[in-house]
Amino acid sequence: MRVIKRYRIHMGTFAWILHRLSGLGLISYLLLHIWVISHLSGGERSFDGIMHSFGSPMFKLMEIGLVGVILFHLFNGLRVTLIDMGVMVEKQKTLFVIAVIIWLGTWFAFSAIMLSKMGLLPFTV
Amino acid sequence: MKYKETTRSGGALPWLFQRISGVYLAIVLFVHVVNLHILIDGEIGYAAIAERVATPLWKTINISFLIVALFHGLYGLWIVLEDYIHIGWLRVLIYGVIATIALVFAIFGTLTMITFQYGG
Amino acid sequence: MAMITFKINRYNPDDEKRGHFVQEYQIDVPKGYTLLDCLNDIKWKLDGTLTYRRSCRSGICGSCAMTINGVNNLACETQVLGLNCSTVTVEPLRGYPVVKDLAVSLDPIVRGLLAVKPYLMTKTPPPTDQERLQSPEEREKLDGLYECILCGSCTSSCPSFWADKEYIGPHALLKAYRFVADSRDECPGEHLEPIDDKHGLWRCHTIFNCVEACPKDLNPTKAIAELKKELIRGKLG
Amino acid sequence: MTLKDPEAIHDVEGVGIHSVHRHDVVIIGAGLAGMRAAVEASGEFDVAVISKVFPTRSHSGGAQGGIAASLANEEEDHWEWHMFDTIKGSDYLGDQDAIEILVKEAPTVVREFEHFGCPFSRTPEGRIAQRKFGGHTKDFGKGGPVLRACYAVDRTGHALLHTLYEICIRNEVRFYSEFQAMSLIVRDGVCRGVVAWDIVNGGMHVFHAKTVMFGTGGYGKVFKITSNAMANTGDGLSLVLKAGLPLEDMEFVQFHPTGLYLQGILVSEAVRGEGGYLINGKGERFMEKYAPSKMELAPRDLVSRSIQTEINEGRGINGEAYVHVDIRHLGEEKIMKQLPQIHELAWKFMHIDCIKEPIPIQPTGHYSMGGIPTNIDGEVLFDGKNTPVKGFYAAGECACVSVHGGNRLGTNSLLEASLFGRRCGKSIIRFLRENRDWPELPADSAKGALDEVEWLLNTDGTEKVGEIRDDLQVLMTNKCGIFRDRATLEELTGDLKKLEERYENIKIDDKSEKFNSDLLEASELGHMIEFCELIVAGALSREESRGAHSRTDFPKRDDEKWLKHTLAWKKGEEIRFDYKPVTITRFQPQERKY
């Protein structure tokens, strides 16, 4: 029989796993981003060309996802930094909940703005 | 009764810089995102971007952002990989690859920023 | 009374071929029975070959730490009916070499502990016929640090330790801070120096599994945060 | 292993050459006594500590309330007062020369612990804090309870034990963790080492030593309801008996008044020291009947008898076999600050919040006053004339100096273990400075132990170890507990013979060598039956009530006949007794009232 080697995932573990995954995602994006921006040197045609290929609504929606990942990494990172500074170490779960609330709140706000710019919302923000 | 005689790699200062850079990135990124996605109306195109990239202030911010983000991201990547990879030669190889990526992209990105002239 | 099935992860070092396997035992569990009571029942009545460590059965010696339903805890402090399930999975502490059944090697715990020079270090000799003075406020700083029973639950639950077997472990870091925080210790650097290492303090990624696992409700992550501050302060002069 | 001696290592039959170790000092047991001795001797000599559990798992760590010393940090106190209390507590059976050393050196020992780094609780002035404990009084018993027990919250034993382990690490003491001592090598009155079983890897090891010290602890596990750890099976006592040496005062067994109901887990005397009440089924503070002036802070033997009497006479809570200890009136703040572990234990094991509810308790087997006879320097004695065995020492619960006599006062055990452990260390140093030669190691040293293991692994009977042990524990609790009388003790003697016969017919399930706890439990059971016979025989022959030994058929203390220590040997089936006088220096025996 196979040996079960499981360990219950606590909130802190969950935060850590998400932080790592989002971090890995972001570093890939960063490298891509630098490459895209480098097209500025090639002049308007080159830049708009590359931007155009990312301009489909599909990519726009993915961009909203990207903002979500960035914001999670950002707020959880701030949580970790606060803990390292000794702030709310004993209340890390509360701190995580707070971080998640702020994350979802800001993400929602950004999404609304971006969607309205794309004209996907019936109203403008 | 000694633990392990290794050359101490420390890690204190990179650790600290990872925190500081994280906070710096949080601030700059916020400005960046607000700037690009809220203040710019309509399509993000060459003109809109180029206008922002051309000023010396934005150049400085962008270059520092580039380098700090590369450090933060790639050092983070290294920490993650270091956790799981314990084969000596593989570690050296990966470290080398990451360092090369960091160097290449830092130079590449910086050159883009410095050499760029709007309308030129 | 309730019939409970215990799925126990077993391993016999004399039977390497078979390796680890899961064996099921069923016993009637009366109210108030701890997991240790159940293991004893199984060992004494059903299967004498079942092996685990135990001693004080009152949660102070730290012998019987194991992974119970996927979480580390002391068997003697786990009320079986309080788990509210008809099947209880019992495994040896994760991350340590298994010696036999639920008994694991303590070497990683001891190695980490020895590394931090876990003893009070002073330069000035103690006063004769008198204790060193320590105010109640200074003493209070040791609360939550000195109570560690070295059961190994924390280090065994730490994903950093799972990945890096040379990681010193939260138990050792907690012990290091127990001395760094002691107003009587005059050589905090001696405890800090060994942990300023890639297998030391900096391997902690504030995952908090150790806090969840500690049967004594201690907070190694908090101690680690304090140690990080202490070390950074030292580096920056 | 250091080989300071040019002599070649001796061959021992049946044991591989790599399993023969040599150390100047070999200490069995890593509790307070053993490790304190190790700390003392390790400065100068090569010390090895053998323990069947990892050092910090030793049961000294289970002690909660405190360690006695007349530091007078909180109020006036004198060693003479402490001495009087200890002697009166012992029901005048304690040897007063030893007690004088105990109380005089106590402050030094406690302060040394502080210097080692023990996290004692503190007074506002920054000194070691002290609390009240049963039987410790002011002004030779005339005043009220005195603040004498130095404490680290309610984890004193834990704090002391871990501190000692830390200092042992500092002193580079060699630990052989998880080695079970199987036999003691004594030939011609000279101790030459021990034989021990490597629990983790299996295999017999011989430890050749110039000096051996026992700090093997007590045997609470012979009782069904006990505060003791499962490791407390009194192996050391049996080893000593098998080596042909006597045991002293084995009939004196302390029952702690407050063990958690049915579990026996210790509820520290600090609970009463801090002001807890004992309440019976009728809601009365019944101690006023038994000890009108000291109430709950009377010595343990008296309080245990009082509780048992209440229970026996139907005044337990709801008529059941328990009473309540109530600390609700102390308030949440004091409970959480001074007794956090009690709060935790009551919650985890009884699901009782002691801030809001009283804790159900019953007396629980706790401590053995008797043990291996030693003199004040920790040297083990051979006979009633105080002849020491060369190179053999003992301290702690396994030893009998005797400072506790018929009944031990709370907090004197941590003190005795560490203080006499320290004295053992010092006399070991003196001995080793004068005796540089290795005693000869007989080639057949390991034979007894090897035979025992082989028999245990191969015996093919029908009895289960667990069942026999269960029966032994129930019998000992019911028939040799707080109250004893001739009829039941005689019955018990017969019962033990039957158990012994059943033990001959056991079978163990686990036949492997590595980490075979089945094997070790079987061996431990053999040990327990062995010395239980001595406890019962001693209780049967001592026809008086003194301290913890309470004969319902002889309710009075009889100084005329019984102001003396029992020494007992076991030769085959036969038990031989001898007696030695009690040393009385300052305080003449008087009636004992609280």
Side-chain angles (χ1 to χ4, degrees):
Chain A
M1 214 184 279
R2 256 193 78 242
V3 179
I4 322 153
K5 277 284 178 212
R6 65 207 174 92
Y7 200 86
R8 191 184 294 168
I9 292 187
H10 300 291
M11 212 180 254
T13 332
F14 190 63
W16 169 70
I17 292 171
L18 284 185
H19 197 75
R20 289 206 147 183
L21 291 178
S22 60
L24 292 177
L26 289 177
I27 185 67
S28 322
Y29 172 74
L30 179 69
L31 299 182
L32 185 73
H33 191 63
I34 294 173
W35 178 69
V36 169
I37 297 296
S38 71
H39 285 75
L40 281 174
S41 314
E44 189 165 355
R45 284 260 302 278
S46 157
F47 184 75
D48 280 349
I50 191 100
M51 283 309 282
H52 187 73
S53 53
F54 291 112
S56 68
M58 188 60 203
F59 274 104
K60 284 284 174 195
L61 284 177
M62 276 173 73
E63 210 164 37
I64 292 177
L66 173 73
V67 169
V69 175
I70 291 175
L71 289 175
F72 174 80
H73 198 84
L74 191 156
F75 288 116
N76 190 56
L78 288 178
R79 163 182 163 268
V80 170
T81 308
L82 283 179
I83 287 165
D84 284 331
M85 287 162 68
V87 181
M88 284 182 85
V89 189
E90 272 149 13
K91 298 225 161 61
Q92 57 103 358
K93 284 186 179 173
T94 322
L95 195 59
F96 182 63
V97 172
I98 293 173
V100 167
I101 291 171
I102 299 178
W103 165 52
L104 289 176
T106 43
W107 190 18
F108 183 77
F110 270 106
S111 306
I113 294 169
M114 287 165 76
L115 285 173
S116 82
K117 278 184 191 295
M118 286 160 67
L120 290 175
L121 286 184
F123 51 89
T124 49
V125 182
Chain B
M1 290 231 173
K2 280 262 164 57
Y3 172 50
K4 199 171 56 66
E5 299 291 344
T6 49
T7 45
R8 301 254 172 252
S9 68
L13 295 178
W15 176 87
L16 179 65
F17 191 67
Q18 191 75 346
R19 265 68 191 161
I20 294 173
S21 61
V23 174
Y24 175 76
L25 287 176
I27 297 165
V28 176
L29 201 63
F30 198 78
V31 174
H32 180 78
V33 172
V34 167
N35 206 3
L36 279 186
H37 293 278
I38 296 177
L39 299 183
I40 298 179
D41 279 327
E43 273 294 291
I44 302 168
Y46 179 79
I49 302 290
E51 193 185 337
R52 279 173 167 67
V53 172
T55 68
L57 177 67
W58 273 109
K59 272 191 184 181
T60 321
I61 290 176
N62 278 343
I63 291 172
S64 75
F65 181 77
L66 168 83
I67 289 170
V68 171
L70 272 174
F71 172 85
H72 186 91
L74 290 171
Y75 186 70
L77 178 66
W78 168 239
I79 287 175
V80 174
L81 294 175
E82 201 193 21
D83 270 357
Y84 301 103
I85 293 160
H86 304 292
I87 309 163
W89 63 267
L90 194 57
R91 284 171 76 105
V92 173
L93 180 71
I94 288 174
Y95 194 86
V97 169
I98 291 179
T100 314
I101 292 175
L103 207 62
V104 168
F105 274 82
I107 293 169
F108 190 48
T110 313
L111 283 180
T112 309
M113 285 299 140
I114 291 174
T115 54
F116 180 75
Q117 301 286 319
Y118 186 39
Chain C
M1 278 294 215
M3 192 59 99
I4 305 276
T5 308
F6 291 88
K7 280 190 178 176
I8 301 180
N9 200 312
R10 306 202 54 188
Y11 167 75
N12 183 353
D14 288 340
D15 194 357
E16 286 285 358
K17 248 198 213 146
R18 190 165 188 201
H20 294 260
F21 60 99
V22 177
Q23 192 161 352
E24 290 189 13
Y25 300 92
Q26 272 199 332
I27 57 167
D28 245 344
V29 179
K31 190 171 176 284
Y33 248 43
T34 64
L35 178 61
L36 181 61
D37 292 327
C38 296
L39 292 176
N40 286 340
D41 259 16
I42 294 169
K43 183 174 179 65
W44 296 340
K45 290 177 187 155
L46 299 176
D47 183 358
T49 61
L50 182 65
T51 306
Y52 48 92
R53 287 197 183 87
R54 81 286 178 275
S55 187
C56 77
R57 88 219 140 84
S58 57
I60 192 71
C61 79
S63 299
C64 61
M66 46 188 78
T67 308
I68 304 157
N69 280 351
V71 193
N72 290 352
N73 207 342
L74 298 178
C76 71
E77 284 192 352
T78 305
Q79 293 285 338
V80 172
L81 298 184
L83 292 171
N84 283 325
C85 53
S86 58
T87 310
V88 177
T89 318
V90 188
E91 295 158 295
L93 286 180
R94 187 171 175 179
Y96 303 137
V98 178
V99 176
K100 188 173 177 181
D101 292 349
L102 300 171
V104 294
S105 168
L106 299 170
D107 293 350
I109 306 177
V110 176
R111 203 187 36 156
L113 185 68
L114 296 191
V116 300
K117 302 187 182 169
Y119 36 84
L120 192 78
M121 295 174 104
T122 54
K123 289 179 196 142
T124 43
T128 30
D129 289 332
Q130 232 192 41
E131 58 268 43
R132 287 193 194 87
L133 297 183
Q134 182 176 45
S135 71
E137 293 73 34
E138 288 168 330
R139 168 61 182 74
E140 213 166 279
K141 290 194 181 133
L142 305 183
D143 285 340
L145 302 172
Y146 80 97
E147 296 97 326
C148 171
I149 56 174
L150 293 178
C151 66
S153 290
C154 54
T155 301
S156 152
S157 76
C158 175
S160 293
F161 179 72
W162 299 342
D164 176 12
K165 288 288 179 286
E166 283 178 58
Y167 176 40
I168 188 167
H171 72 287
L173 295 170
L174 183 83
K175 186 64 97 179
Y177 189 59
R178 178 249 173 276
F179 289 102
V180 170
D182 197 319
S183 63
R184 299 168 294 175
D185 195 292
E186 293 166 322
C187 312
E190 293 279 339
H191 309 291
L192 288 171
E193 193 263 347
I195 60 172
D196 178 19
D197 182 76
K198 65 176 182 227
H199 299 296
L201 191 62
W202 311 113
R203 186 65 89 195
C204 168
H205 304 310
T206 46
I207 303 165
F208 284 99
N209 265 15
C210 53
V211 182
E212 299 284 347
C214 181
K216 297 286 114 183
D217 296 330
L218 309 180
N219 195 330
T221 311
K222 187 179 173 196
I224 291 170
E226 297 297 328
L227 285 170
K228 282 174 177 165
K229 280 200 276 183
E230 225 24 88
L231 259 169
I232 293 295
R233 221 174 282 147
K235 297 270 167 186
L236 301 180
Chain D
M1 186 169 63
T2 51
L3 269 177
K4 289 172 188 164
D5 193 272
E7 277 177 65
I9 290 181
H10 300 269
D11 277 331
V12 180
E13 285 161 19
V15 176
I17 190 81
H18 296 293
S19 301
V20 181
H21 313 268
R22 249 188 191 190
H23 296 279
D24 293 328
V25 189
V26 168
I27 295 171
I28 319 296
L32 229 48
M35 289 210 283
R36 187 64 188 82
V39 165
E40 203 64 32
S42 58
E44 199 170 329
F45 294 98
D46 169 31
V47 179
V49 177
I50 297 173
S51 169
K52 70 176 180 179
V53 291
F54 182 74
T56 59
R57 317 278 190 243
S58 305
H59 203 54
S60 302
Q64 300 169 349
I67 175 168
S70 51
L71 296 179
N73 280 352
E74 304 249 14
E75 60 181 355
E76 188 187 355
D77 197 6
H78 304 280
W79 64 263
E80 289 92 342
W81 294 359
H82 187 187
M83 182 171 177
F84 173 79
D85 292 334
T86 305
I87 292 166
K88 186 178 170 192
S90 81
D91 222 347
Y92 296 91
L93 189 70
D95 285 318
Q96 299 191 3
D97 54 340
I99 295 176
E100 185 162 335
I101 288 170
L102 182 83
V103 297
K104 269 188 181 166
E105 287 183 10
T108 315
V109 168
V110 171
R111 285 177 189 135
E112 260 173 16
F113 268 119
E114 195 285 326
H115 298 161
F116 287 154
C118 181
F120 283 110
S121 296
R122 299 288 176 155
T123 65
E125 299 81 44
R127 299 191 173 279
I128 297 171
Q130 297 182 284
R131 62 157 59 116
K132 293 173 191 167
F133 243 74
H136 291 282
T137 64
K138 282 176 202 154
D139 200 14
F140 305 102
K142 293 194 266 297
V146 68
L147 296 161
R148 186 180 288 150
C150 310
Y151 63 94
V153 196
D154 57 356
R155 296 186 185 87
T156 314
H158 172 265
L160 294 173
L161 183 72
H162 279 250
T163 304
L164 273 187
Y165 179 56
E166 287 154 11
I167 297 298
C168 280
I169 291 176
R170 188 192 74 187
N171 288 8
E172 307 204 354
V173 171
R174 176 81 157 89
F175 281 102
Y176 292 87
S177 279
E178 305 195 310
F179 276 69
Q180 176 122 332
M182 300 294 288
S183 78
L184 175 69
I185 311 166
V186 179
R187 299 284 158 92
D188 313 315
V190 180
C191 184
R192 297 144 194 262
V194 287
V195 182
W197 177 259
D198 178 351
I199 299 178
V200 174
N201 301 306
M204 204 62 85
H205 290 245
V206 173
F207 294 85
H208 185 197
K210 290 177 187 167
T211 55
V212 171
M213 186 211 151
F214 266 25
T216 54
Y219 53 76
K221 264 298 149 198
V222 304
F223 296 99
K224 181 82 190 161
I225 303 288
T226 173
S227 65
N228 280 202
M230 295 172 75
N232 290 17
T233 48
D235 310 298
L237 303 179
S238 168
L239 262 47
V240 164
L241 275 184
K242 279 190 195 152
L245 304 175
L247 295 178
E248 185 177 344
D249 288 344
M250 288 295 282
E251 58 271 32
F252 292 98
V253 183
Q254 179 167 78
F255 290 83
H256 195 287
T258 53
L260 282 184
Y261 179 49
L262 291 181
Q263 319 252 11
I265 291 168
L266 182 66
V267 174
S268 173
E269 193 166 323
V271 162
R272 284 170 288 136
E274 297 290 345
Y277 300 145
L278 288 170
I279 309 287
N280 66 13
K282 292 173 134 181
E284 302 161 337
R285 257 183 95 184
F286 58 87
M287 280 313 293
E288 60 195 5
K289 276 186 284 188
Y290 305 92
S293 84
K294 301 290 181 295
M295 297 289 283
E296 278 86 358
L297 287 174
R300 287 176 179 173
D301 56 335
L302 190 86
V303 181
S304 289
R305 272 198 298 277
S306 312
I307 295 174
Q308 199 59 47
T309 308
E310 292 294 308
I311 291 171
N312 291 351
E313 292 174 4
R315 291 189 294 278
I317 308 291
N318 303 325
E320 306 257 359
Y322 67 93
V323 297
H324 276 149
V325 63
D326 192 349
I327 52 172
R328 287 175 294 182
H329 57 280
L330 300 180
E332 179 172 354
E333 198 193 327
K334 189 165 182 189
I335 292 172
M336 293 316 286
K337 187 155 180 284
Q338 303 283 46
L339 304 163
Q341 190 176 208
I342 298 303
H343 183 262
E344 183 188 330
L345 288 176
W347 181 252
K348 284 187 173 155
F349 293 98
M350 306 285 290
H351 218 65
I352 275 177
D353 180 1
C354 64
I355 295 166
K356 297 188 188 113
E357 296 159 276
I359 310 170
I361 53 102
Q362 73 184 127
T364 175
H366 188 56
Y367 187 87
S368 147
M369 268 71 73
I372 308 164
T374 68
N375 62 19
I376 51 169
D377 290 318
E379 294 172 307
V380 173
L381 305 174
F382 199 74
D383 53 22
K385 292 176 219 57
N386 294 340
T387 325
V389 184
K390 198 176 170 197
F392 186 31
Y393 301 79
E397 187 176 346
C398 72
C400 178
V401 189
S402 132
V403 289
H404 306 311
N407 170 63
R408 174 174 73 77
L409 293 187
T411 68
N412 267 356
S413 61
L414 290 180
L415 177 61
E416 186 230 334
S418 40
L419 190 144
F420 282 97
R422 179 175 177 266
R423 283 184 80 84
C424 272
K426 286 190 190 298
S427 54
I428 284 170
I429 289 175
R430 278 199 302 277
F431 176 87
L432 287 175
R433 280 178 187 162
E434 286 160 18
N435 297 273
R436 298 263 168 201
D437 298 331
W438 291 89
E440 202 192 323
L441 188 65
D444 61 346
S445 316
K447 191 169 182 307
L450 286 168
D451 288 350
E452 188 187 347
V453 169
E454 196 180 316
W455 177 75
L456 286 168
L457 285 175
N458 295 313
T459 180
D460 197 24
T462 50
E463 294 280 356
K464 271 194 171 290
V465 171
E467 283 163 16
I468 303 180
R469 185 180 40 217
D470 228 34
D471 291 347
L472 173 75
Q473 292 170 338
V474 170
L475 285 169
M476 286 299 288
T477 306
N478 292 347
K479 299 185 177 177
C480 194
I482 297 176
F483 294 109
R484 301 143 175 202
D485 64 54
R486 171 178 292 280
T488 42
L489 286 171
E490 275 174 349
E491 232 176 82
L492 183 55
T493 314
D495 295 336
L496 288 178
K497 281 274 170 289
K498 274 182 225 145
L499 286 181
E500 205 169 3
E501 281 159 23
R502 282 172 65 192
Y503 182 71
E504 296 296 315
N505 187 34
I506 56 166
K507 180 186 179 172
I508 61 171
D509 295 342
D510 197 340
K511 305 285 187 187
S512 67
E513 294 215 325
K514 286 179 185 153
F515 219 119
N516 188 343
S517 44
D518 211 17
L519 170 82
L520 298 170
E521 285 186 8
S523 159
E524 287 167 353
L525 175 63
H527 293 163
M528 291 200 284
I529 298 175
E530 192 108 357
F531 58 76
C532 272
E533 290 172 18
L534 250 68
I535 300 173
V536 176
L540 195 55
S541 71
R542 186 176 279 273
E543 297 184 327
E544 64 159 349
S545 287
R546 180 190 297 275
H549 174 65
S550 179
R551 286 280 296 260
T552 48
D553 44 355
F554 297 93
K556 285 260 171 329
R557 192 172 84 195
D558 186 353
D559 285 341
E560 198 101 327
K561 273 202 211 146
W562 286 104
L563 189 57
K564 59 186 180 186
H565 297 290
T566 318
L567 287 175
W569 287 259
K570 197 158 184 259
K571 263 216 176 99
E573 291 297 291
E574 221 175 304
I575 294 168
R576 182 166 70 83
F577 285 110
D578 194 0
Y579 298 93
K580 71 173 186 180
V582 174
T583 313
I584 291 171
T585 55
R586 281 169 184 257
F587 300 99
Q588 286 303 313
Q590 44 177 281
E591 205 199 343
R592 186 163 166 255
K593 262 194 178 160
Y594 287 95

